[in-house]
Amino acid sequence: MNRARRDALVGYAFVGPFLLVYAAVLVVPLLMGIVISFNNADLFGRREWIGLANYAQALSDPVLRQAFFNTLTLTLLIVPPLTVIALLLALALNRNTRLAAVLRGVFFSSLVLSVTIVTLIWRFILTPDAGLVAVGLQAVGQPPIPFLSDPAYVIPALAVTTLWWSLGFPIMLFLAGLQQVPGDIYEAAALDGAGRWTVFRRITLPSIRRTLLLVVMLQTAAQLQIFGQAQLLTGGGPGGASRTIVLYIFEVSFGRWELGYATAIAELLFGMILLVTLLQYWFVTRQEGDRA
Amino acid sequence: MSGLELIDVSKSYGATRVLDGVSLSIAPREFIAFLGPSGSGKSTLLRIIAGLETLDSGEVHLGGQRIDGLAPGARGIAMVFQHYALYPHMTVRENMAFGLINAKVPKDEIASRIAQAADILEIGSQLDKKPGQMSGGQRQRVAIGRAIVKQPRLFLLDEPLSNLDAALRSRTRVELAQLRNRVDAALIMVTHDQAEAMTLADRIVVMNDRRIQQVGTPAEVYARPANAFVARFVGSPAMAMLAGRVISGESGRLRVRLAGGAELQTAVAAAGIAADAPVEVGLRPEHVTLAPPGSGGIAATVELVERLGDRTFIYTRLAEGSEVIACAPGFSEVRPGDEVLLAIDAAAAHVFSADGTAHHPEASA
């Protein structure tokens, strides 16, 4: 056996176990999901080929339409402010002081909490009888607001909860991006007489362009799949006002046992996320040209 | 109009003092080299002039205006950074225009300045490239171009040749020499390479240990070093230092007995140095040659031979342990381990007192 072939075999031996597990738990289920979506299927293995009927049902399902708009609204309410706030905090924390180090830890700490804890905390804050916000409102003579039971407030309440929970990771990504920017180009900019705003717009922002794209793409993909907060904080209520797509998929598959229909919705969501993230990538990289 | 004036500049980082009462005066179109080893404070001094570091005390004036309180961009200074510090996401043209746009220079003026600089630096065809697409030498030209278009009163160059390979380095050295003729500004270059300083600068500021050790033309710094540090730091190979004692002052000139017993009659004025004082005798390689066998030279053992083609440096060690470097014309045949005799041109020797103060030979009458 020649050396190149032996090297190749050793390489395959190293990635083999991972590829096997990856295929078994990710690729195969993904493909099976596509197949199941063309079936009338339940959780016990019953399959009946019905072609595109599940997809046709999805397009005319008013509950799905409501869930779709809820999810879209949440994503739009979460991703832009999350990106801006995380960037501002990262800029403020990107220095070598003890306070900055402590605060970096504080902002990151919310990330390690599970969604259960997060929703518990926010239930304490938002609950109209004795929640933190209600107490504050009462102190200034206002009536408490039923955040989690009023259709007008429930989506913003979910958005704020998610914002609070999700800040840590984008801050870390932005900090990592900012630390990649060589310090001497800031010095060059100082000698070039650039003010703070010019430095941010012409030096910092272009330098962390890729990080910015990564944060927006990751957060968009994550928020389009928002689930735990909605299920635990509101259960999708009141009257479906906070039901998200993934929550609906969960209800259809494990509540109504219509696995075929649930996977069809899941495939539609998958396609939507893919499309949105590719669009974002194209939008950011199109004028970039060939940079080193 | 006056050039750059530093008055008693001091700087500490916490408890560590990095600059101690530095004063310096530079003429408007002078080319100055800050020469010194790492940690001598030369880069800190450059950054203080640029405004990238604050000073603890002292003043900086440029063109008659006090600038140490001004923002870096308001000082009329341009800097070429060691690693160029080009904006990677901007084209060459945008890199050069950035400072001018910030200074609100009119658009057509910006265009003509860039065209002119690109012409001088021969980067006209590269203006729409990004720095990442260029070689190190080209990037350096862009960095210089970015400085030129600002038409500053003072150029600062931080180790401008250190990132270039040997061939590019000597070419860039020539270009820097030409640059100073083209610009109406003073230049300060920081370097630890004395060959750069010697070949480019009008005057060299030798720095060590937080202070200026000597300011002088390359010839002065080489021929009349102010102290033992400058003597050792400037010149390659370095000046050899031999320990000895003053034995008498004949006709007003020092006579020194070396540790090995040999005596040297120097051309250094004896005034001010007591008899029997411990001194060091400094000998440049060109003042030590190989003596023919049997002549009255000082015995030494060859340790290393450097043949440069036109001359050969012979690193030898005397019996008492000091190292002396001799120079022989052409291609010397001596080999490490050979026993040789050294002929010392004692009239060219420098003498350093115990505190490092230099005493130079006087021209023979």
Side-chain angles (χ1 to χ4, degrees):
Chain A
M1 197 190 307
N2 67 32
R3 193 187 161 83
R5 261 188 81 162
R6 204 182 62 212
D7 282 354
L9 277 180
V10 170
Y12 285 125
F14 271 105
V15 289
F18 167 75
L19 281 181
L20 220 64
V21 175
Y22 184 77
V25 304
L26 251 140
V27 180
V28 172
L30 200 73
L31 296 175
M32 274 175 66
I34 295 175
V35 174
I36 292 172
S37 72
F38 295 117
N39 282 279
N40 189 355
D42 65 18
L43 283 173
F44 299 106
R46 190 176 61 84
R47 302 276 191 279
E48 179 197 345
W49 185 268
I50 53 167
L52 291 168
N54 282 328
Y55 289 93
Q57 186 191 346
L59 294 181
S60 60
D61 183 344
V63 182
L64 179 58
R65 191 169 309 141
Q66 187 193 27
F68 172 78
F69 282 113
N70 287 342
T71 308
L72 213 62
T73 313
L74 274 171
T75 305
L76 287 174
L77 279 179
I78 293 168
V79 176
L82 182 65
T83 309
V84 172
I85 295 171
L87 179 56
L88 291 179
L89 284 171
L91 286 169
L93 296 176
N94 187 29
R95 55 195 69 183
N96 270 328
T97 62
R98 190 164 301 187
L99 181 67
V102 170
L103 289 176
R104 279 199 292 267
V106 169
F107 283 110
F108 196 60
S109 65
S110 71
L111 184 70
V112 303
L113 299 178
S114 83
V115 67
T116 326
I117 312 286
V118 171
T119 48
L120 264 177
I121 293 172
W122 279 88
R123 193 178 280 281
F124 285 133
I125 295 173
L126 297 172
T127 183
D129 8 298
L132 194 62
V133 178
V135 171
L137 284 173
Q138 269 163 0
V140 293
Q142 296 290 319
I145 298 168
F147 287 104
L148 301 178
S149 48
D150 185 327
Y153 288 113
V154 67
I155 292 280
L158 274 178
V160 170
T161 306
T162 309
L163 269 176
W164 181 85
W165 185 35
S166 311
L167 264 177
F169 190 51
I171 290 179
M172 287 302 131
L173 287 177
F174 279 130
L175 278 171
L178 288 171
Q179 264 149 33
Q180 295 284 313
V181 186
D184 60 359
I185 73 172
Y186 285 108
E187 294 184 338
L191 276 154
D192 271 342
R196 290 181 83 155
W197 172 242
T198 307
V199 168
F200 175 74
R201 210 170 51 84
R202 298 291 314 274
I203 309 292
T204 306
L205 219 47
S207 299
I208 59 164
R209 204 182 164 85
R210 301 236 152 190
T211 312
L212 196 65
L213 171 65
L214 180 69
V215 166
V216 171
M217 274 172 56
L218 286 178
Q219 287 305 328
T220 307
Q223 302 315 335
L224 286 174
Q225 301 174 65
I226 190 168
F227 169 61
Q229 303 92 300
Q231 202 211 7
L232 292 167
L233 213 52
T234 63
S242 66
R243 181 184 286 118
T244 64
I245 297 179
V246 177
L247 181 56
Y248 186 49
I249 294 172
F250 173 78
E251 289 171 1
V252 171
S253 55
F254 298 105
R256 286 156 42 181
W257 294 7
E258 295 173 24
L259 194 60
Y261 185 41
T263 48
I265 302 173
E267 297 304 334
L268 288 174
L269 179 62
F270 173 73
M272 185 167 93
I273 294 172
L274 193 67
L275 187 73
V276 170
T277 44
L278 283 179
L279 271 176
Q280 289 168 342
Y281 184 79
W282 171 79
F283 182 75
V284 173
T285 51
R286 93 205 129 114
Q287 339 109 303
E288 205 164 291
D290 35 7
R291 50 179 294 190
Chain B
M1 188 167 112
S2 59
L4 180 76
E5 201 82 36
L6 301 178
I7 304 168
D8 207 20
V9 171
S10 293
K11 169 81 181 169
S12 301
Y13 292 115
T16 315
R17 203 157 184 82
V18 289
L19 283 175
D20 203 353
V22 170
S23 295
L24 182 66
S25 184
I26 294 173
R29 294 200 51 181
E30 214 175 0
F31 195 151
I32 293 288
F34 287 177
L35 176 65
S38 312
S40 58
K42 59 188 192 303
S43 292
T44 307
L45 189 57
L46 193 80
R47 293 170 60 80
I48 285 176
I49 296 169
L52 299 174
E53 302 274 355
T54 54
L55 37 66
D56 296 342
S57 63
E59 296 176 15
V60 182
H61 297 256
L62 181 63
Q65 180 195 9
R66 184 165 177 183
I67 60 165
D68 51 77
L70 299 180
R75 297 184 174 204
I77 291 176
M79 181 158 168
V80 177
F81 288 80
Q82 185 175 5
H83 303 286
Y84 317 136
L86 298 174
Y87 311 119
H89 50 280
M90 297 186 198
T91 63
V92 169
R93 192 193 307 278
E94 289 165 342
N95 262 284
M96 296 209 271
F98 187 60
L100 302 180
I101 293 170
N102 292 330
K104 304 212 162 40
V105 175
K107 255 191 178 152
D108 44 345
E109 165 88 16
I110 294 178
S112 78
R113 283 200 207 174
I114 290 177
Q116 200 185 352
D119 203 36
I120 292 176
L121 296 163
E122 295 168 19
I123 49 172
S125 60
Q126 323 268 339
L127 285 177
D128 294 313
K129 284 191 181 172
K130 297 217 169 132
Q133 299 165 285
M134 310 177 86
S135 70
Q138 289 173 324
R139 283 186 222 183
Q140 171 142 49
R141 283 155 180 264
V142 176
I144 293 172
R146 186 171 66 178
I148 289 180
V149 294
K150 287 201 265 185
Q151 303 182 344
R153 287 179 291 185
L154 175 63
F155 278 93
L156 303 178
L157 306 161
D158 191 3
E159 303 265 8
L161 305 178
S162 63
N163 280 328
L164 304 175
D165 62 44
L168 205 52
R169 188 182 284 225
S170 52
R171 209 182 85 188
T172 310
R173 201 143 79 183
V174 174
E175 284 172 357
L176 283 180
Q178 292 168 342
L179 171 68
R180 68 85 43 95
N181 294 324
R182 289 208 183 92
V183 297
D184 184 23
L187 286 94
I188 298 178
M189 170 178 80
V190 159
T191 179
H192 60 261
D193 181 341
Q194 44 124 351
E196 279 173 25
M198 299 283 276
T199 50
L200 285 171
D202 298 324
R203 283 193 301 159
I204 296 177
V205 175
V206 185
M207 298 195 64
N208 187 42
D209 199 18
R210 315 185 297 273
R211 287 189 187 86
I212 292 177
Q213 303 291 325
Q214 185 172 9
V215 182
T217 64
E220 279 168 2
V221 168
Y222 186 80
R224 301 181 67 81
N227 54 44
F229 171 80
V230 177
R232 262 190 295 250
F233 195 73
V234 177
S236 174
M239 183 186 275
M241 294 286 190
L242 300 178
R245 268 180 197 282
V246 174
I247 46 175
S248 73
E250 239 169 68
S251 64
R253 308 256 163 117
L254 277 181
R255 192 173 176 82
V256 179
R257 177 183 289 139
L258 300 181
E263 289 181 15
L264 296 178
Q265 175 60 53
T266 71
V268 174
I273 303 184
D276 207 35
V279 293
E280 280 190 309
V281 177
L283 294 167
R284 294 228 180 258
E286 59 266 33
H287 299 133
V288 181
T289 50
L290 296 186
S295 64
I298 300 174
T301 311
V302 177
E303 295 201 318
L304 182 74
V305 182
E306 257 179 20
R307 296 186 184 89
L308 301 180
D310 58 333
R311 67 214 138 107
T312 304
F313 288 116
I314 302 150
Y315 294 70
T316 69
R317 198 168 289 282
L318 305 184
E320 36 92 0
S322 357
E323 188 180 66
V324 177
I325 303 159
C327 184
F331 221 77
S332 173
E333 295 297 329
V334 296
R335 286 184 312 204
D338 287 0
E339 298 291 328
V340 292
L341 292 176
L342 301 179
I344 291 171
D345 180 5
H350 304 264
V351 173
F352 300 94
S353 318
D355 65 357
T357 315
H359 307 271
H360 303 293
E362 297 174 330
S364 44

